[in-house]
């Protein structure tokens, strides 16, 4: 059974992350099932991954294992906030997050179990928690997507920080409520300090950015030519190519991977952690192991066009190999300052 979540609004108070109007589960006439018990062949997963992307994989997991997934979908930051608000009363067994920062936020509250090393060792150390609380299951690069009719390769910026300059005024699509954008801003703080992050956000705001609800809308507008460039994750272009029955190379929209270890080239992970209420639940552990298994890793590469994190699985077509990307020297474990990052973004005026 798959249960959608209505979107809630995450706000910040001085004491930390608060949620006003917690996410409601399901529709008005749809009852939410009681959380399962250990080994009863059902788990509740809070999913910050888009339902359209991840639901087919959850169905594959159920078909292979007989374990029913009660999935609750919402924005990753909202779900992290909800988990913190619910505490040990949360019905969630597993948190499947869009980025490492949200996983780190929940981990800081000591809400996750320590996963067995036989599980976490399937992913490189770069893509897992040092304390074993979470593990990445797929990787994605931050990129600048651009319309080749509007922007030439010679005009592309060498650094993401150039996008606050006059040449890009009114031309840059951003999604400030998206977890990946928030993690990118956190990465600026980690790599360059909070003052630089504030400066970038203020410069972006002053440069008439084209604010959108998500990466998908940014890409749609870039393809249409209404926005010349946008900051997104790399895999969205593969999805569009698949929908149109073509290849990434044949599309008007192109991907610019920032060179030289620029913060704009951050490689983040979608990852998973098991809540303490499911510490002894073999079904929750089976879910994590499945996501790191060959079927799921191949699904990420071929269907969602993300980079698999497990060695031996071929990466997505139409993009550079993960090992060839010039990524910034940032430890994903340090991206756990979700509350302060959201506060910086709100302070900048990019979101109301």
């Amino acid at each position: 059974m798959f249960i959608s979540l209505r979107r809630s609004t995450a706000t910040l108070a001085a004491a930390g992350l608060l949620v006003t109007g917690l996410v409601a589960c399901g529709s008005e006439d749809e009852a939410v099932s009681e959380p399962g018990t250990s080994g009863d062949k059902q788990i509740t997963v809070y999913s910050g991954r888009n339902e359209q992307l991840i639901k087919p994989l959850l169905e594959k997991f159920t078909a292979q294992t007989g374990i029913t997934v009660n999935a609750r979908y919402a924005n990753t930051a909202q779900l992290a906030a909800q988990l913190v608000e619910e505490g040990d009363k949360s019905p969630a067994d597993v948190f499947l997050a869009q980025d490492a920062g949200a996983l780190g936020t929940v981990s800081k509250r000591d809400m996750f179990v320590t996963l067995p090393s036989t599980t976490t060792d399937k992913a490189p150390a770069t893509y897992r928690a040092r304390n074993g609380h979470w593990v990445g299951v797929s990787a994605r690069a931050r990129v600048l997507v651009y319309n080749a009719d509007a922007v030439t390769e010679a005009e592309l910026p060498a650094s993401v920080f150039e996008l606050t300059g006059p040449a890009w005024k009114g031309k840059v699509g951003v999604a400030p409520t998206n977890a990946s954008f928030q993690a990118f801003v956190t990465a600026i703080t980690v790599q360059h300090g909070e003052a630089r992050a504030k400066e970038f956000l203020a410069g972006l705001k002053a440069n008439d950015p084209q604010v959108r609800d998500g990466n998908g809308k940014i890409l749609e507008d870039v393809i249409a030519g209404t926005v010349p460039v946008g900051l997104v994750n790399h895999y969205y272009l593969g999805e569009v190519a698949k929908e149109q029955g073509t290849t990434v190379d044949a599309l008007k929209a192109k991907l610019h991977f920032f060179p030289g270890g620029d913060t704009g080239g951050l490689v983040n992970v979608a990852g998973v952690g098991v809540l303490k209420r499911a510490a002894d639940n073999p079904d929750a552990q089976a879910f994590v192991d499945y996501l790191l298994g060959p079927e799921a890793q191949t699904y990420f590469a071929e269907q969602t066009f993300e980079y698999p994190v497990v060695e031996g699985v071929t990466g997505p077509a139409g993009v550079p190999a993960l090992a060839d990307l010039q990524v910034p020297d940032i430890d994903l474990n340090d991206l756990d300052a979700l509350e302060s990052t959201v506060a910086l973004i709100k302070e900048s005026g990019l979101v109301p």
Side-chain angles (χ1 to χ4, degrees):
M1 177 174 60
F2 298 87
I3 304 172
S4 293
L5 285 178
R6 291 186 186 137
R7 292 196 167 191
S8 65
T9 301
T11 59
L12 286 157
L17 190 65
L18 300 176
V19 179
T20 59
L22 283 179
V23 181
C25 304
S27 62
E28 293 181 0
D29 58 354
E30 179 182 30
V32 179
S33 66
E34 291 297 320
T37 56
S38 179
D40 69 349
K41 292 293 185 179
Q42 65 171 319
I43 56 173
T44 296
V45 175
Y46 279 17
S47 176
R49 300 303 311 276
N50 179 279
E51 182 174 4
Q52 183 179 353
L53 296 182
I54 207 70
K55 182 177 178 179
L57 184 61
L58 303 189
E59 291 173 337
K60 288 176 180 289
F61 168 73
T62 297
Q64 184 178 119
T65 65
I67 299 170
T68 298
V69 178
N70 300 312
R72 302 181 174 192
Y73 296 97
N75 175 290
T76 283
Q78 292 170 346
L79 286 175
Q82 185 175 357
L83 283 168
V84 170
E85 179 77 8
E86 292 173 338
D88 59 9
K89 294 182 175 61
S90 177
D93 297 304
V94 177
F95 182 27
L96 178 58
Q98 184 178 337
D99 79 286
L103 290 163
T105 294
V106 177
S107 176
K108 282 199 301 186
R109 270 70 175 185
D110 197 29
M111 297 177 68
F112 288 140
V113 303
T114 299
L115 297 169
S117 60
T118 52
T119 295
T120 57
D121 286 351
K122 294 174 184 176
T126 305
Y127 302 134
R128 62 179 191 250
R130 286 189 294 264
N131 59 11
H133 283 186
W134 57 264
V135 61
V137 296
S138 63
R140 73 286 298 281
R142 292 295 291 174
V143 297
L144 186 73
V145 63
Y146 65 99
N147 186 302
D149 287 341
V151 180
T152 67
E153 286 190 35
E155 294 172 318
L156 292 171
S159 169
V160 72
F161 295 105
E162 294 178 27
L163 296 178
T164 60
W168 299 103
K169 188 174 182 64
K171 297 179 179 180
V172 183
V174 295
T177 60
N178 181 266
S180 294
F181 181 86
Q182 292 164 0
F184 153 66
V185 174
T186 306
I188 296 177
T189 301
V190 170
Q191 191 172 26
H192 300 287
E194 185 177 291
R196 187 69 184 277
K198 286 183 175 180
E199 179 185 9
F200 173 76
L201 291 170
L204 198 61
K205 171 63 177 174
N207 219 25
D208 189 23
Q210 302 303 299
V211 176
R212 301 293 185 267
D213 288 337
N215 290 332
K217 180 58 177 172
I218 292 173
L219 180 56
E220 178 183 322
D221 288 347
V222 169
I223 291 173
T226 55
V227 177
V229 302
L231 291 170
V232 300
N233 292 331
H234 81 274
Y235 60 86
Y236 284 87
L237 199 62
E239 294 170 10
V240 169
K242 179 184 176 183
E243 290 171 2
Q244 296 185 3
T246 186
T247 64
V248 168
D249 292 339
L251 295 174
K252 285 286 186 185
K254 306 296 180 184
L255 299 181
H256 174 53
F257 291 80
F258 288 100
D262 188 74
T263 317
L266 176 71
V267 171
N268 204 340
V269 292
V272 63
V274 174
L275 280 300
K276 284 189 171 180
R277 73 176 302 277
D280 299 318
N281 190 337
D283 298 339
Q285 180 60 46
F287 180 68
V288 177
D289 287 331
Y290 175 79
L291 293 178
L292 290 166
E295 183 172 67
Q297 290 293 296
T298 301
Y299 177 90
F300 289 132
E302 296 181 356
Q303 301 302 318
T304 67
F305 305 97
E306 297 169 271
Y307 291 106
V309 298
V310 175
E311 187 177 354
V313 180
T314 303
V319 293
L322 182 58
D324 294 338
L325 300 182
Q326 299 177 32
V327 301
D329 184 17
I330 294 171
D331 187 337
L332 297 184
N333 286 273
D334 295 333
L335 301 183
D336 58 1
L338 178 60
E339 299 98 324
S340 57
T341 293
V342 172
L344 287 179
I345 295 171
K346 289 177 67 68
E347 182 183 317
S348 74
L350 284 173
V351 294

